[in-house]
Amino acid sequence: MQNSEKKTLLSGITATGKLTLANYIGAIKNMVKLQEEYNNYIFIADLHALTLPIDPKQLSKNKKDIFALYIACGIDPKKSVLFFQSDVIQHGLMNWLILTNTTIGELSRMTQFKDKSAKIKTANGMETIPTGILMYPTLMVGDILLYNADIIPVGIDQKQHVELTRNLAIRLNNKFNTTYKIPEPYIPEVGAKIMSLTDPSKKMSKSDTNPKSAIYLLDDPEDAYKKILKAVTDSEGKIYLSDEKPGIKNLLTIYSALNDISLQESAEKFKNSNYGEFKNAVAQCVKEFLIKIQDKYKNALNQIETLSKEGAKKASEVAQINLDMLLKGIGLR
Ligand code: ATP
Ligand code: MG
């Protein structure tokens, strides 16, 4: 049951692909840091993974991997309610209730919708944009309101969807007399936007089609080492912090996040190094991090079945209470 003295945290990762180091630094690291302080609901957003076509076998593997990786990264199932979104059936109904309180205009203004739909248009030369990418923000709004969460640890790319949630919580409370909390995004100071290794003007994404652009948490540690050595930087040869040097800044960010130091401290440490020495140091710490995680991941795989059932049961109880509040307000109960 929830500890009523603590605030509530909710966070999820879509099962669209293999988890990246950006997902760890941008989101999971904060979930781990905050799990003592909050009532935590951490889930695998397997329903969100359906927004774009996905191979069933791949989806099934992705979701299990994410569950085990959460544990490997430090999410403790005794301190956090850890569950698969599709095991908690309240998410589907909540989505419909929320969807019917939004407009097509506000959903089509979402940056992620614009970005993702633009890519599809270019790829096919015609409009075949799946409805899921327009509507997935309302599923996310429902995810948050079902647990009446106070804070949402996310990378910067999800900030707009948390803002949509805030607007909807206010709208529903005004219209239907509900008492949903107005959630705050919790964005890391270092690492809110880790960039692609092959194009540091783009964010690192698990759905990027170029596997060299990202470090995956289940990458062979040696391959990951090599990817960092090959990361695109610039030809200046000097290490300092500047927005004009996104490749170097990105590697400094990765180093800082994995060593829990500030960006300035990292820049100071490497100010006299050449790019080769610097990249080796970053590559080494990424490699050591992956070895540590992967060891724990293997053990965690065996616990998924039991832990996910326990998690879903606890999550459903709270989700039903917050769903009932809206059903009642709307006049369906
Ligand atoms: P996709 O390409 O499928 O959208 P993704 O890598 O963006 O995958 P999500 O499942 O959308 O991952 O997001 C999971 C969490 O990781 C979110 O909190 C998101 O803000 C965070 N995140 C995603 N990409 C980055 C990034 N490049 N830097 C920091 N955080 C990130
Ligand atoms: Mg994303």
Side-chain angles (χ1 to χ4, degrees):
M1 233 15 241
Q2 279 183 306
N3 177 338
S4 55
E5 281 165 22
K6 286 185 178 175
K7 288 190 170 179
T8 299
L9 172 154
L10 174 111
S11 202
I13 294 188
T14 323
T16 32
K18 299 180 285 182
L19 280 199
T20 68
L21 189 61
N23 300 138
Y24 172 74
I25 293 174
I28 303 177
K29 190 165 177 261
N30 268 335
M31 301 178 201
V32 175
K33 189 173 107 187
L34 299 170
Q35 68 182 342
E36 305 285 342
E37 215 181 305
Y38 289 87
N39 290 311
N40 295 285
Y41 292 87
I42 312 264
F43 68 105
I44 291 84
D46 51 2
L47 294 176
H48 281 276
L50 307 179
T51 50
L52 288 171
I54 183 162
D55 173 63
K57 284 203 189 83
Q58 196 59 51
L59 174 59
S60 171
K61 177 163 178 12
N62 289 346
K63 55 183 277 189
K64 288 179 195 131
D65 277 348
I66 298 179
F67 199 102
L69 277 168
Y70 270 138
I71 296 173
C73 289
I75 302 289
D76 179 349
K78 291 199 186 74
K79 293 179 188 156
S80 297
V81 178
L82 185 56
F83 61 100
F84 292 114
Q85 185 184 24
S86 62
D87 284 347
V88 180
I89 52 167
Q90 287 84 349
H91 286 258
L93 179 49
M94 189 67 170
N95 183 33
W96 178 247
L97 301 183
I98 289 165
L99 197 57
T100 49
N101 281 286
T102 53
T103 63
I104 293 177
E106 77 186 327
L107 296 185
S108 53
R109 277 196 297 276
M110 294 290 123
T111 314
Q112 292 238 350
F113 170 70
K114 288 195 218 157
D115 289 353
K116 290 194 175 177
S117 54
K119 270 190 215 153
I120 293 168
K121 265 195 211 167
T122 347
N124 297 343
M126 57 180 179
E127 273 214 36
T128 48
I129 300 165
T131 320
I133 57 172
L134 178 68
M135 313 218 297
Y136 101 95
T138 59
L139 188 59
M140 175 164 165
V141 171
D143 299 337
I144 297 171
L145 300 187
L146 277 179
Y147 303 93
N148 223 345
D150 298 272
I151 70 153
I152 322 295
V154 282
I156 207 104
D157 60 313
Q158 290 296 336
K159 190 166 172 243
Q160 199 184 28
H161 294 154
V162 181
E163 270 156 21
L164 177 72
T165 311
R166 293 170 60 85
N167 293 339
L168 272 155
I170 295 168
R171 189 177 308 163
L172 297 173
N173 288 349
N174 287 338
K175 264 171 104 171
F176 303 117
N177 241 338
T178 49
T179 52
Y180 291 113
K181 289 182 192 154
I182 317 301
E184 297 279 348
Y186 186 98
I187 295 170
E189 272 171 43
V190 177
K193 193 172 183 186
I194 300 294
M195 308 312 278
S196 150
L197 299 177
T198 48
D199 176 0
S201 69
K202 272 187 356 194
K203 87 170 187 82
M204 186 182 285
S205 271
K206 63 176 133 59
S207 60
D208 197 312
T209 47
N210 180 0
K212 294 203 171 79
S213 68
I215 301 287
Y216 302 102
L217 296 181
L218 294 178
D219 263 348
D220 176 85
E222 242 357 281
D223 289 346
Y225 188 96
K226 288 183 197 141
K227 283 189 198 175
I228 298 281
L229 293 190
K230 290 199 181 125
V232 171
T233 50
D234 55 67
S235 54
E236 192 191 359
K238 275 203 202 124
I239 295 168
Y240 59 97
L241 272 175
S242 160
D243 289 337
E244 309 285 296
K245 294 167 73 69
I248 291 293
K249 188 172 175 191
N250 195 36
L251 295 180
L252 283 169
T253 306
I254 292 174
Y255 187 88
S256 305
L258 293 184
N259 288 289
D260 266 320
I261 58 176
S262 70
L263 263 176
Q264 288 69 19
E265 280 173 277
S266 292
E268 182 62 26
K269 184 175 162 87
F270 293 108
K271 70 175 183 210
N272 297 321
S273 308
N274 62 37
Y275 282 8
E277 289 160 350
F278 170 54
K279 281 182 161 177
N280 263 305
V282 181
Q284 186 59 31
C285 92
V286 167
K287 182 175 146 182
E288 283 166 15
F289 173 72
L290 293 190
I291 292 173
K292 191 177 81 186
I293 296 282
Q294 290 175 10
D295 218 34
K296 296 189 183 147
Y297 157 83
K298 283 180 205 132
N299 288 332
L301 278 175
N302 304 325
Q303 305 167 20
I304 297 179
E305 186 136 343
T306 320
L307 290 176
S308 67
K309 275 198 192 123
E310 284 170 19
K313 188 166 176 284
K314 288 185 204 157
S316 296
E317 283 168 18
V318 176
Q320 190 61 48
I321 293 170
N322 291 309
L323 173 66
D324 281 341
M325 173 158 70
L326 188 54
L327 286 168
K328 201 162 167 239
I330 288 178
L332 289 166
R333 289 285 184 278

